[in-house]
Amino acid sequence: MYTAQQLERARTLAYKHSGITLGANKDVMIANRLDKLKRDVGHDDIDAVLSAIEHGRHIETFISSFTTNKTNFFREEFHFDDLKNRVFHEAIEKGGEFKIYCSASSTGEEPYSILMTMEQAKEEYSRPMLNYSLLATDIDLDVLKHASNGVYEWNKNAEDFPDWIKPANYFKRRPHPSRDGDYLIKVKETLSRRVRFNQHNLMAESYPFKNEGFDVVFCRNVLIYFSQADQNAILKKLFRTLRMGGTLYLGHSESPLELSPYVERYGQNIFVKVKELP
Ligand SMILES: C[S@@+](CC[C@H](N)C(=O)[O-])C[C@H]1O[C@@H](n2cnc3c(N)ncnc32)[C@H](O)[C@@H]1O
């Protein structure tokens, strides 16, 4: 078990390095994360580990231990339906490059779902030459590495693909090295060449891509880890990267908060920018 002081040091570090706010009801979770941290750092003395982090060492390991990376392919599928059936037509009308930003991409299932949706839409609407790109960022280097490798377990994910997606079009398959009857699937190059993975902390003072003018921004199931004040600050910074008329997708229990006067709601947690922030 950990002392109240050790838990508090972990809370302070989590906020400092990621903005993640861990309430008083999260002691068990913090304890589990500290167990993982000790294993990953390879040191059993938690005070020594916390001191090292306070002095600037093992920061990436600490961040990886404290982030929650739960995700899956086509999570909240209605957002991908909207991307294919409404937003894609804007891409056709607009011409030029269509730019999408996925701001908490975790192990890659969400950005690859976006890419599969765009590829499927290109086929459905006979627009093979449509030009689009995706920037995917996360704070956690471990998940970014997993995402760039693009390798997943088939049995774990098979149920997540909607009827209108044929995984064989987008993944190569090979037998699982240690589980009979299972496969590993790897994203094909036709898909992976469309995405750039970068590390980015949503709490950063300014965003390096703020003049990008994204057509679509995904920010799903990450705001919930921040305080309301920080959620507002992040939403405003993200909003400035979105072009007028662009679409913002939020997670199922997230809301646009102070952005409300500047957006129009198009469906479940789908918001279109109708006004610039002052
Ligand atoms: C629960 S996952 C959600 C993944 C995906 N967006 C989805 O909806 O399935 C939350 C992700 O947010 C990332 N994250 C947490 N704090 C962050 C921060 N300050 N900046 C950027 N990403 C952060 C975590 O590393 C994690 O991969």
Side-chain angles (χ1 to χ4, degrees), residues 186-197:
K186 181 169 172 58
V187 175
K188 287 186 183 173
E189 212 262 332
T190 42
L191 215 58
S192 57
R193 71 187 166 86
R194 296 275 186 183
V195 58
R196 256 180 314 142
F197 287 105

Side-chain angles (χ1 to χ4, degrees), residues 88-276:
F88 190 78
H89 295 282
E90 290 170 11
I92 295 172
E93 271 163 37
K94 185 177 160 253
E97 188 184 349
F98 194 74
K99 295 182 196 167
I100 308 172
Y101 176 38
C102 177
S103 67
S105 56
S106 189
T107 38
E109 289 85 338
E110 184 179 51
Y112 291 126
S113 301
I114 296 169
L115 295 175
M116 283 184 267
T117 303
M118 293 299 286
E119 287 300 303
Q120 184 62 29
K122 273 169 50 174
E123 203 183 305
E124 247 173 63
Y125 301 111
S126 304
R127 297 288 171 153
M129 300 313 284
L130 186 118
N131 185 17
Y132 70 95
S133 64
L134 172 62
L135 170 67
T137 66
D138 200 284
I139 192 175
D140 180 344
L141 286 180
D142 281 353
V143 295
L144 284 166
K145 197 166 156 216
H146 185 155
S148 329
N149 286 340
V151 177
Y152 303 92
E153 290 180 16
W154 172 245
N155 284 359
K156 246 187 178 171
N157 296 287
E159 300 285 302
D160 294 335
F161 296 93
D163 295 344
W164 47 271
I165 286 290
K166 287 194 183 67
N169 289 350
Y170 306 110
F171 297 91
K172 289 181 279 190
R173 210 166 84 135
R174 64 169 190 267
H176 196 290
S178 56
R179 267 203 296 280
D180 274 357
D182 197 357
Y183 292 91
L184 290 181
I185 53 173
K186 181 169 172 58
V187 175
K188 287 186 183 173
E189 212 262 332
T190 42
L191 215 58
S192 57
R193 71 187 166 86
R194 296 275 186 183
V195 58
R196 256 180 314 142
F197 287 105
N198 278 339
Q199 188 183 37
H200 177 63
N201 181 353
L202 289 168
M203 291 288 286
E205 202 57 39
S206 79
Y207 290 6
F209 35 82
K210 59 173 175 279
N211 297 323
E212 201 77 29
F214 291 113
D215 299 286
V216 174
V217 171
F218 278 74
C219 179
R220 308 191 312 160
N221 307 303
V222 60
L223 291 173
I224 41 171
Y225 299 106
F226 305 120
S227 71
Q228 185 132 329
D230 289 333
Q231 291 185 29
N232 270 319
I234 289 169
L235 277 167
K236 285 178 185 165
K237 281 181 272 185
L238 282 175
F239 201 63
R240 292 186 200 283
T241 72
L242 187 65
R243 73 157 166 88
M244 184 63 74
T247 295
L248 170 69
Y249 294 106
L250 298 180
H252 59 277
S253 52
E254 295 162 337
S255 93
L257 301 171
E258 290 174 10
L259 286 186
S260 295
Y262 307 95
V263 293
E264 225 167 69
R265 196 166 186 271
Y266 266 71
Q268 212 175 332
N269 282 330
I270 303 171
F271 302 93
V272 169
K273 180 169 183 171
V274 291
K275 214 164 133 187
E276 287 293 352

